[in-house]
Amino acid sequence: MTNLQQAIKLPVFEKISSYCKENNIECYVVGGYVRDFLLKRKSKDIDVLVLGNGIEIAKNIARSLDEKIQVTVFNTFGTAYFKYKDFEIEFVGARKESYSSNSRNPIVESGTFKEDIDRRDFKINSMAISLHPKSFGDLIDLHNGLDDLENCVINTPLDAVITFSDDPLRMLRAIRFASQLNFSVSEKLIRIINELKSRIEIVTNERIVDELNKILLSDTPSIGFNLLEKTGLLDFILPEITNLKGIDEIEGQKHKDNFYHTLEVLDNICKSTENLWLRWAALLHDIGKAPTKKFDKKIGWTFHGHEFEGSKMVYKLFKRLKMPLNEKMKYVQKLVLMSSRPIVLAQNNVTDSAVRRLIFDASDAVDDLMTLCEADITTKNKSRFKRYHENFRLVREKIIKVEEKDNIRNFQPPITGAEIMKTFNLKPCKTIGSIKESIKEAILEGDIENNYEEAFKLMIKEGEKLGLSDGK
Ligand code: CTP
């Protein structure tokens, strides 16, 4: 038997162990903590399985560790957890769990150790380490999870139809673990997910988005998205992405497969950023291409306005999945809307005013926008690849220079509306907005510098043109 004393060499495990000895309770560390220890991955979440009342035991152990620890109890699930030092420790009584076919909540009924282990999602998550003093550190691996860890594959402990019917989210979890751990999902599982995929509809959006975020935060999200596509789940969750699949050909003219292109862009961006929302922007940057696709006899395939269409679709998609509709969504929308802007700049001899307008429109997202555009370079032509990157490097340099000089990011008009009103003795009216707009345009064009003195002079000139008197 493998001994994993090293995995549980923490005072908290000794406390749990001695509590269980005194009270004659069997208890084990299970699930993700064991899996991650064996994979040499750091884990701060510890799941403790006890043969008894998990909530009561959690409260007693928390008290014996420190009187001040707050225990959070989930009565519906019969679980309780508390934070201790760096760890979050969750206690659950062994149960034979069953879910009614259309409910999202389990019916909790206490069970044996084996019954509890059997009803877990994957073999790699079904391993346990004993905390009982007599067998402290022994690995109990009823379903050969170790073999799956070695072979980098995901399988279910029971017939997958039972495991997935118990909780359809597990279909998505299988794919999420594959993406996070760079594992494969067994062919049998893929087939069964394909059969059961529509059952994902009973799962709450919140749980689905949680898994999608974890796939997006993995090193190579294309592993997850390819599997989502292969199993048919993607159609239920993000049809906007499956709609990008395929290559049309008319009169010998083809366009690229925007689904695979998107996955390439996504994997690329993951090499440069951990920012979840920038990764979402990479995933969604081309979604407007499906509804805007047209064939023009003269110029071939076009996707006119796909950025604008795409940014509208971002809102609908976030709303449907009950994702935040706050500044995160607006950030993703902005990146999708502006995703082609730097490309145009990189192709021309870029002027200062074009760069100023880019900074003005993108504001704080300008660096992320550049990162997205660099990730968007997926050409297999080496010299083109080099040239595009070089062009973007020049645009980035120019952004820094223009910024130092002109301070355009988070642009604040140097002359306020109140000052315009005071100078020309005006009541609120359209003229104020039009003078402000002329000042902003002159700054962005580079006709005047972004400072109070130059803006003031221009304001007087604009006023004169409009026949206004400054009272002097
Ligand atoms: N589990 C399960 N079915 C689920 C969710 C969880 O069987 N739908 C079991 C698995 O044994 C899992 C454990 O509960 O290992 C803990 O679940 P969770 O914390 O969600 O997953 P971890 O495996 O800990 O992985 P991560 O923290 O990355 O989500």
Side-chain angles (χ1 to χ4, degrees), residues 30-33 35-36 41 43 45-47 90 92 95 97 99 116-117 119-122 124-127 163 166-170 173 176-177 180 207 211 214:
V30 280
Y33 187 82
R35 177 199 70 224
D36 286 344
R41 286 163 61 95
S43 175
D45 292 339
I46 301 172
D47 289 300
E90 178 150 356
V92 56
R95 53 200 171 172
E97 198 162 305
Y99 292 71
D116 186 285
I117 291 296
R119 61 129 203 116
R120 284 180 181 263
D121 52 3
F122 306 114
I124 59 166
N125 289 344
S126 73
M127 292 176 280
T163 305
D166 272 356
D167 178 7
L169 182 78
R170 288 171 169 172
R173 278 173 64 89
R176 182 260 285 191
F177 282 117
Q180 278 182 326
R207 294 180 84 204
E211 295 300 324
K214 286 180 179 171

Side-chain angles (χ1 to χ4, degrees), residues 122-138:
F122 306 114
K123 291 185 178 186
I124 59 166
N125 289 344
S126 73
M127 292 176 280
I129 302 174
S130 169
L131 291 178
H132 202 272
K134 272 196 219 146
S135 48
F136 194 73
D138 283 353

Side-chain angles (χ1 to χ4, degrees), residues 184-198:
S184 59
V185 175
S186 73
E187 280 304 319
K188 191 171 160 218
L189 240 58
I190 289 182
R191 210 186 55 243
I192 293 172
I193 296 177
N194 214 307
E195 279 163 24
L196 303 178
K197 57 184 183 258
S198 68

